Amino acid sequence: MSELTKEEPPAAPAAPPPTSVTPSTYLKSILGRPILVRLHTGVTYRGILACLDGYMNIAMEQTEEYGVGGELESRYGDVFLRGNNVAFISGDTKAK
Amino acid sequence: MSSIESPLDLIRLSISERVYVKLRSNRELRGVLHAYDQHLNMVLGQVEETVTSKEVDEETDEEIVKKSKREVDMLFVRGDVVILVSPPLKST
Amino acid sequence: MLFFSFFKTLIGKTVAVELKNDVILTGTLHSCDQYLNLKLSSVTVVNGDKYPQLGCLKNAFVRGSVVRYVQIPSGEVNTELLEDATRKENAPKKREVAK
């Protein structure tokens, strides 16, 4: 192991060190952007991420609710989602 | 929305307004928000509860969606059953 | 603490406690604690025909976590006070440094 490291010294980054992406920095980076939220139930919400907190409670705007089969169920203006129901949050790349 | 820093602020702005609340086990509530806390425990007034259930018609084998409604003057709702809260004016 | 205080004001009043397993108990609220565990006296089971085993229930301790709803006599509640207390309890924390 030590020989290996001697032969190949850690490559010094030529460019400024890559800023590491953590869950928290990722979530900050999608604030105000279109997102997709999936709940444990399989229900999906698409809308604009207004803000969120450490429990993954989420405030969204212009929200569309899709059922488990992917069909549009309803639309809301503002929505609060209780964090314990959230499976994942993702940037919505397919948003118009 | 500029005044909102925490998701719970959205609910704070809905005090004494009618809100829509989606709960576990296919329940929905519409009512006036009188109180809430950080767990989303709530007290709602002039509540209409809708329970949605699905049944399969044995003859036609079709799924029938049944909605039963009831009205309650004032209701305390335990926060752990809450999925979603929305000011209902803009909702369908 | 808001709802603990709130339930304390309802002690002695008649409430209907709906549990997550759909059992509904009505009774007099005897006491409550910070977890919103409730003690009821003079209990009757509203949908009792579905739960004959609960027929002999007179006094009940209900663990807070199994409660779905509590139906409250609206005449006993000052909603304005309740809303003010809610605003106070959930007031946004002051930021030390303004941007």
Side-chain angles (χ1 to χ4, degrees):
Chain A
M1 197 57 197
S2 59
E3 277 180 15
L4 268 180
T5 47
K6 269 180 202 164
E7 283 166 20
E8 295 175 41
T19 48
S20 63
V21 179
T22 65
S24 139
T25 59
Y26 173 68
L27 291 172
K28 274 181 193 152
S29 78
I30 57 173
L31 272 176
R33 306 258 285 271
I35 57 158
L36 182 153
V37 180
R38 174 99 89 238
L39 307 189
H40 292 303
T41 56
V43 176
T44 307
Y45 294 90
R46 292 174 69 180
I48 313 293
L49 176 59
C51 65
L52 79 172
D53 67 14
Y55 300 104
M56 282 215 218
N57 291 327
I58 299 170
M60 289 172 77
E61 302 168 355
Q62 303 166 39
T63 308
E64 296 171 332
E65 180 182 68
Y66 295 87
V68 180
E71 67 288 359
L72 181 62
E73 297 252 300
S74 46
R75 293 174 204 274
Y76 307 97
D78 299 334
V79 151
F80 172 96
L81 286 174
R82 196 175 191 266
N84 67 309
N85 303 292
V86 174
F88 65 76
I89 307 170
S90 155
D92 188 354
T93 48
K94 286 184 199 162
K96 333 150 209 172
Chain B
M1 290 292 267
S2 59
S3 64
I4 290 187
E5 294 180 2
S6 130
L8 281 156
D9 293 350
L10 189 66
I11 296 179
R12 207 174 90 90
L13 296 172
S14 307
I15 295 173
S16 81
E17 307 271 345
R18 275 198 100 73
V19 293
Y20 165 85
V21 185
K22 192 182 173 82
L23 305 178
R24 293 187 176 205
S25 58
N26 300 307
R27 286 162 201 269
E28 301 166 282
L29 302 174
R30 277 163 234 269
V32 180
L33 180 67
H34 292 308
Y36 75 92
D37 66 9
Q38 67 272 33
H39 306 289
L40 273 300
N41 293 324
M42 292 187 276
V43 169
L44 300 174
Q46 297 159 30
V47 189
E48 184 194 63
E49 185 202 39
T50 311
V51 184
T52 309
S53 57
K54 277 185 180 168
E55 288 179 14
V56 177
D57 189 310
E58 299 206 347
E59 290 174 15
T60 62
D61 222 31
E62 279 175 37
E63 255 191 6
I64 305 164
V65 179
K66 267 191 165 178
K67 291 201 176 198
S68 63
K69 297 195 180 193
R70 66 169 167 162
E71 290 185 6
V72 184
D73 260 5
M74 192 156 284
L75 199 64
F76 165 84
V77 183
R78 179 128 179 136
D80 57 2
V81 299
V82 171
I83 295 175
L84 173 156
V85 184
S86 174
L89 292 176
K90 300 171 186 171
S91 82
T92 47
Chain C
M1 286 318 260
L2 178 74
F3 287 97
F4 177 33
S5 313
F6 174 68
F7 275 109
K8 279 197 282 190
T9 69
L10 295 173
I11 286 174
K13 308 290 192 293
T14 301
V15 295
V17 181
E18 179 168 336
L19 310 184
K20 285 174 182 160
N21 63 4
D22 297 336
V23 171
I24 304 176
L25 306 172
T26 56
T28 307
L29 185 62
H30 177 275
S31 57
C32 68
D33 66 13
Q34 54 166 330
Y35 304 108
L36 309 185
N37 298 324
L38 306 172
K39 273 174 89 174
L40 300 176
S41 52
S42 323
V43 173
T44 54
V45 184
V46 172
N47 38 8
D49 41 346
K50 269 169 77 182
Y51 309 97
Q53 69 275 31
L54 300 180
C56 60
L57 206 58
K58 279 286 152 292
N59 297 295
F61 172 93
V62 182
R63 187 174 152 99
S65 63
V66 304
V67 172
R68 178 187 291 133
Y69 303 136
V70 182
Q71 293 179 38
I72 297 155
S74 59
E76 305 292 346
V77 179
N78 182 336
T79 53
E80 245 173 66
L81 258 174
L82 196 55
E83 290 172 7
D84 287 346
T86 302
R87 286 194 189 92
K88 216 173 179 181
E89 173 130 332
N90 298 292
K93 286 168 195 157
K94 282 175 191 163
R95 304 277 146 169
E96 283 179 16
V97 184
K99 277 178 195 170

